[in-house]
Amino acid sequence: MVATIVTFACGAWARRWIADDGLIVLRTVRNLMAGNGPVFNAGERVETNTSAAWTYVIWFFGWITHARLEYVSLFTALALSLLAVLFAMLGAARLWGGATAQLLLPAGAIVYIAVPPARDFATSGLENCLVIFWLGVLWYLLIRWSQAERARLALLFGLVFWAGLCWVVRPEMTMLGGLALALVFLAPMPASRVGPIVLRACTVVVGGAVPLGYQIWRMGYYGLMVPNTAIAKEASGNKWGQGFKYVWDLTGPYYLWAPLLILAVVAVPLVRSRRAESALQQPEIVPAEADDAAAQSDASGAGSRNAVTRWLARILGLRHQLRTPRAVVVLILVGALLNIVFELKVGGDFMHGRQLLPALYMLMLPVSVLPVWRFGTVGQARAGLTSAAWALALPVLWLAMIGWALVAANTTGNKAGGGVSADGIVDERIFYVLNGGHDHPILAEDYLDYPRMRAMVQDIEDSPNGGVLLNSPSFTFWYIAPPPLPIPAGGYPHAVYFLNLGMTSMNVPLDVKVIDQEGLAYPLAAHTDRLADGRIGHDKDLYPDWVVADSGMVDQHPWMPWYMDERWVRQARTAIACPETQAMLASSRGPLTFDRFKHNLLQAYAFTKYRTDRVPKYEIERCHLVDPAPPPPPPALAPPK
């Protein structure tokens, strides 16, 4: 186990970096520390981080250490990633450990750390580390709970509280967290003076306190049912074809089917052996609640009492099976399959392997370590596994898995390099390493060598009057849409309209507004309709005309950038005035009063579903507004001679 952790630490450190999306989290933390609240831009309540828990974890350690946030993110992510693998192995060791002297060796844990994306995202500043850490601890607590002869209340409530954090760790983890809460709720409760009904009520309160409390806060504060990132990326959409491409992008290059097959071949006979041993050694356990059930049947006749008792015994026997390691393993595997199906449905992600790492981690949890050798069993024939053939085959299969790991660990999965593959998927770390010129881009200033970043900083310094920085159509330099006269003392605030939010926002002061055409930090873009054939994760693209109109910048040539159309900007200004759009924008821009909080709470579902058209003319038609700049009539034709 120690060797596995050290190997993972060395591999992750050799590929250490902070992703551009990881810097997005730090911008929110900066605003928290500055007293602006959990927002990306001061004065606009937008939740740009999918994992609320990850934001506050970084904020907490940043507040404690007063260190640079990039280093806080780097070392926190690395520590949580290592702890995740540790808890995975500890839980599996408890699962497979027994009275028989045996050699347990890391198996599934090695498969996970061998896949290069696992090492890439161990220090990326994204919430992957927190997700797998939460999964690892949940797995360990479930195994302890299932094996305890008399589950203590501290363990019970600690388990349900941890499972309830699923919603704030990452919303799709609710599939597994919800199943875990249901499993604990339906399983027999430990003996207590208050009785099983009160205990079940307490588990509901303890497990639901954090997710329910935060959801009420999210709906009232942000005016949405889900993080704004889910709106921008249309997490409820369907892109099955792209999802299968995304799964193959991870499983194909590394031949992941090989270790999965090996581990399945090893695990099946192990399970059969353990079931046979349990049948011989484990006495029948009757839940404490069976006594109450049997007592309730005393009032009936003798014949009916026996029938009811047998029926209740069957039901309670089935319920007792819920608090077993077998049920926990089934729960974890079902959670992994649900996660894979979800990623297939939404189309995966644009980062190579990132969104499938939690599912891979879950699949590896029950086999993180495996009994490779049982001492004194060669030559014995019991339950198939402990025969001489299997006793010799297990080490051979384990060595085969190690051979695969050595090959996979040195394989280049996504070969697009510094570009984007034809499927829209990119090796995010290599992309920024090659395009930024730093082997380990960690600090915000490391990204100043990314194209257009230094020019952005310089253009902000050279425009004291303020304005909106817009990228040129050729993506080579910046245009500035200037503010109208008269210029107030100190100038107008600056705004930057650019896709790469992290590097942009972390290299400018907090009073510079940073927004994007995808909508991660810009509600006007997030609520536009999805492009049918857009790149996954980037299939929204708001025209800059909306930004000029929304910010109130000069909308006439020659001051406005030459490639923009004056008529489109006037139409965008009219389209923004749509009452439904104004109500949606007010949910995040209006002053946060009690009435605003209550209104957001009631309208959060409607705001979440609301969508607009990115073409101003079509949006005017949708809202039944008057077009301020209709196209000129066609020229009159001369009558034929």
Side-chain angles (χ1 to χ4, degrees):
M1 287 170 57
V2 173
T4 303
I5 296 295
V6 171
T7 301
F8 188 31
C10 294
W13 186 255
R15 305 166 82 100
R16 63 192 180 277
W17 70 305
I18 299 290
D20 177 69
D21 284 25
L23 295 177
I24 294 177
V25 180
L26 303 187
R27 167 80 170 202
T28 301
V29 176
R30 284 175 64 196
N31 273 298
L32 267 171
M33 292 181 167
N36 298 326
V39 300
F40 191 79
N41 292 303
E44 191 169 43
R45 297 180 300 277
V46 179
E47 189 177 17
T48 58
N49 307 327
T50 306
S51 174
W54 180 233
T55 301
Y56 289 100
V57 166
I58 297 298
W59 168 82
F60 175 76
F61 285 110
W63 174 64
I64 290 292
T65 62
H66 295 281
R68 281 201 61 159
L69 292 178
E70 293 94 329
Y71 292 130
V72 172
S73 177
L74 179 76
F75 288 107
T76 302
L78 179 60
L80 292 179
S81 298
L82 298 180
L83 288 173
V85 177
L86 175 63
F87 276 105
M89 292 188 289
L90 288 175
R94 291 183 67 97
L95 173 68
W96 296 108
T100 305
Q102 55 189 346
L103 175 64
L104 296 172
L105 289 179
I110 292 178
V111 172
Y112 180 79
I113 70 174
V115 178
R119 305 194 299 278
D120 286 348
F121 291 103
T123 61
S124 65
L126 296 167
E127 70 276 1
N128 285 75
C129 57
L130 182 64
V131 171
I132 62 172
F133 173 73
W134 176 81
L135 289 169
V137 174
L138 179 65
W139 157 251
Y140 178 75
L141 292 176
L142 282 169
I143 288 294
R144 284 196 58 186
W145 167 79
S146 67
Q147 292 179 335
E149 293 183 4
R150 296 176 63 89
R152 294 177 297 175
L153 294 182
L155 175 60
L156 175 68
F157 291 133
L159 170 59
V160 296
F161 175 80
W162 190 260
L165 296 178
C166 54
W167 182 244
V168 295
V169 168
R170 192 169 171 92
E172 61 264 35
M173 289 299 109
T174 304
M175 292 183 288
L176 178 63
L179 289 175
L181 289 172
L183 179 71
V184 175
F185 181 83
L186 295 174
M189 290 285 126
S192 173
R193 295 180 181 178
V194 298
I197 296 178
V198 175
L199 280 183
R200 286 192 171 86
C202 291
T203 59
V204 172
V205 173
V206 173
V210 172
L212 180 61
Y214 188 80
Q215 184 62 14
I216 293 173
W217 162 260
R218 169 183 283 154
M219 294 166 63
Y221 188 78
Y222 297 110
L224 292 175
M225 301 289 296
V226 293
N228 188 67
T229 51
I231 306 296
K233 296 180 181 291
E234 295 292 357
S236 61
N238 297 315
K239 280 199 170 184
W240 290 93
Q242 180 63 29
F244 281 102
K245 293 178 182 178
Y246 187 68
V247 171
W248 179 250
D249 183 73
L250 177 67
T251 57
Y254 308 113
Y255 300 98
L256 264 177
W257 55 267
L260 293 177
L261 180 61
I262 292 174
L263 292 174
V265 169
V266 173
V268 168
L270 283 172
V271 171
R272 294 179 61 187
S273 172
R274 293 298 298 272
R275 290 180 64 182
E277 293 175 2
S278 298
L280 293 174
Q281 300 175 5
Q282 184 175 357
E284 182 180 359
I285 300 176
V286 179
E289 296 170 66
D291 297 336
D292 298 336
Q296 294 176 4
S297 64
D298 289 342
S300 304
S304 62
R305 182 171 64 249
N306 293 334
V308 171
T309 302
R310 287 195 299 270
W311 179 76
L312 289 175
R314 292 194 193 98
I315 298 298
L316 292 172
L318 292 175
R319 285 180 54 195
H320 175 68
Q321 293 301 314
L322 296 178
R323 195 162 74 86
T324 60
R326 186 187 314 161
V328 172
V329 171
V330 171
L331 173 77
I332 293 295
L333 295 180
V334 169
L337 293 177
L338 289 176
N339 189 264
I340 293 173
V341 171
F342 174 77
E343 295 302 330
L344 287 172
K345 174 182 178 295
V346 301
D349 189 46
F350 64 93
M351 298 187 195
H352 171 60
R354 176 199 171 192
Q355 291 297 85
L356 289 174
L357 287 177
L360 176 62
Y361 179 84
M362 281 187 272
L363 289 174
M364 296 297 103
L365 282 175
V367 292
S368 293
V369 298
L370 283 174
V372 176
W373 186 268
R374 291 191 178 184
F375 298 99
T377 59
V378 177
Q380 300 178 8
R382 188 180 65 181
L385 169 67
T386 56
S387 64
W390 265 111
L392 296 174
L394 289 180
V396 173
L397 290 173
W398 185 82
L399 289 175
M401 186 203 64
I402 295 297
W404 168 88
L406 292 174
V407 174
N410 295 280
T411 299
T412 300
N414 188 289
K415 301 183 184 302
V420 180
S421 70
D423 296 328
I425 305 170
V426 63
D427 187 326
E428 192 81 348
R429 188 185 70 87
I430 291 298
F431 178 87
Y432 284 115
V433 166
L434 295 179
N435 286 284
H438 292 268
D439 290 337
H440 305 290
I442 296 173
L443 302 177
E445 48 264 36
D446 292 338
Y447 281 93
L448 287 175
D449 293 321
Y450 188 80
R452 301 176 295 281
M453 283 297 102
R454 292 191 185 276
M456 175 200 70
V457 175
Q458 188 63 46
D459 286 347
I460 291 176
E461 294 179 359
D462 294 342
S463 54
N465 290 339
V468 177
L469 274 70
L470 304 169
N471 208 237
S472 66
S474 57
F475 297 102
T476 54
F477 52 91
W478 298 92
Y479 282 103
I480 298 181
L485 297 175
I487 304 297
Y492 279 85
H494 286 90
V496 181
Y497 188 57
F498 194 54
L499 181 62
N500 298 89
L501 284 175
M503 64 180 73
T504 304
S505 62
M506 286 297 288
N507 280 297
V508 297
L510 290 179
D511 58 357
V512 175
K513 185 176 183 179
V514 181
I515 53 179
D516 63 311
Q517 55 266 46
E518 174 67 25
L520 295 178
Y522 194 27
L524 199 59
H527 287 268
T528 56
D529 288 326
R530 194 177 197 176
L531 299 175
D533 298 320
R535 179 192 171 199
I536 186 67
H538 297 77
D539 43 12
K540 291 188 178 182
D541 189 7
L542 188 69
Y543 292 114
D545 310 82
W546 292 88
V547 182
V548 173
D550 187 35
S551 60
M553 297 297 107
V554 177
D555 58 357
Q556 296 180 1
H557 294 128
W559 298 276
M560 189 173 64
W562 63 269
Y563 60 88
M564 299 178 66
D565 191 301
E566 294 181 2
R567 182 166 60 91
W568 273 54
V569 176
R570 290 197 297 272
Q571 289 175 330
R573 182 174 289 110
T574 299
I576 293 175
C578 179
E580 292 85 355
T581 302
Q582 284 296 306
M584 181 271 294
L585 293 175
S587 67
S588 59
R589 295 178 179 179
L592 186 62
T593 62
F594 177 76
D595 289 338
R596 167 55 58 191
F597 189 94
K598 182 174 65 174
H599 181 76
N600 284 357
L601 193 65
L602 297 175
Q603 297 297 319
Y605 180 79
F607 292 149
T608 302
K609 293 295 184 182
Y610 183 68
R611 295 295 183 271
T612 62
D613 199 297
R614 72 191 195 108
V615 178
K617 176 184 176 181
Y618 300 155
E619 180 63 10
I620 288 174
E621 295 175 355
R622 188 188 70 85
C623 286
H624 306 290
L625 302 174
V626 178
D627 193 337
L637 299 177
K641 296 182 180 179

